[in-house]
Amino acid sequence: MAVLTLRAEGSASADDVWLRYVTPARWPSWSPQIRAVHVAEDRITQGTRGEIVSLFGVTAAFAVESVDEERRQWVWRVRLGPVRLRLHHAVMTRPGGSATTLRIEGPAVALAAYAGPARWALGRLLRG
């Protein structure tokens, strides 16, 4: 297993960024690699399960492991065939906006392929 940590800052408030994270229906608006999210809940909680439909129509299953509303942190696992990733998200308040970190655990080749789209998505997530 390899680990990749990405960081980004932007002008959106931490409250807005957190809402974009915990509302699956909003994921395609800031994450261009996601076309749709199939999930029963309007807001993620520990135990939320669903599927993400990628830009190319490929479906990946996911399960949310934890959500800490107070600290604005959440962790989930994503599975696409034999590839499994564990993603840790955190949102922090910064002067003039917010910052986020994304720590991804998984096969090195998958992390290398996902790093570019993830950086792009984080930039869009943090836009005011």
Side-chain angles (χ1 to χ4, degrees):
M1 276 303 153
V3 177
L4 172 68
T5 301
L6 304 174
R7 293 173 180 81
E9 292 190 21
S11 59
S13 74
D15 287 340
D16 286 346
V17 172
W18 182 247
L19 185 60
R20 292 172 190 167
Y21 260 149
V22 298
T23 311
R26 297 184 75 179
W27 295 353
S29 71
W30 57 266
S31 185
Q33 66 268 31
I34 297 176
R35 281 294 213 217
V37 181
H38 302 295
V39 62
E41 296 88 0
D42 292 333
R43 188 176 180 105
I44 61 168
T45 60
Q46 182 175 342
T48 296
R49 294 183 177 278
E51 290 183 334
I52 299 167
V53 180
S54 79
L55 180 65
F56 305 106
V58 177
T59 320
F62 72 86
V64 176
E65 290 184 357
S66 65
V67 178
D68 186 333
E69 294 274 351
E70 189 174 311
R71 291 184 176 155
R72 293 189 190 111
Q73 297 177 0
W74 68 291
V75 179
W76 60 322
R77 290 187 184 269
V78 178
R79 180 178 45 84
L80 176 60
V83 178
R84 285 161 174 62
L85 300 176
R86 188 170 188 226
L87 300 95
H88 304 253
H89 299 273
V91 178
M92 293 77 61
T93 300
R94 293 286 185 258
S98 60
T100 189
T101 59
L102 167 58
R103 191 175 90 231
I104 312 166
E105 303 166 0
V109 68
L111 300 186
Y114 187 63
R119 281 187 184 95
W120 186 24
L122 291 178
R124 291 169 50 105
L125 172 69
L126 294 163
R127 275 193 208 140

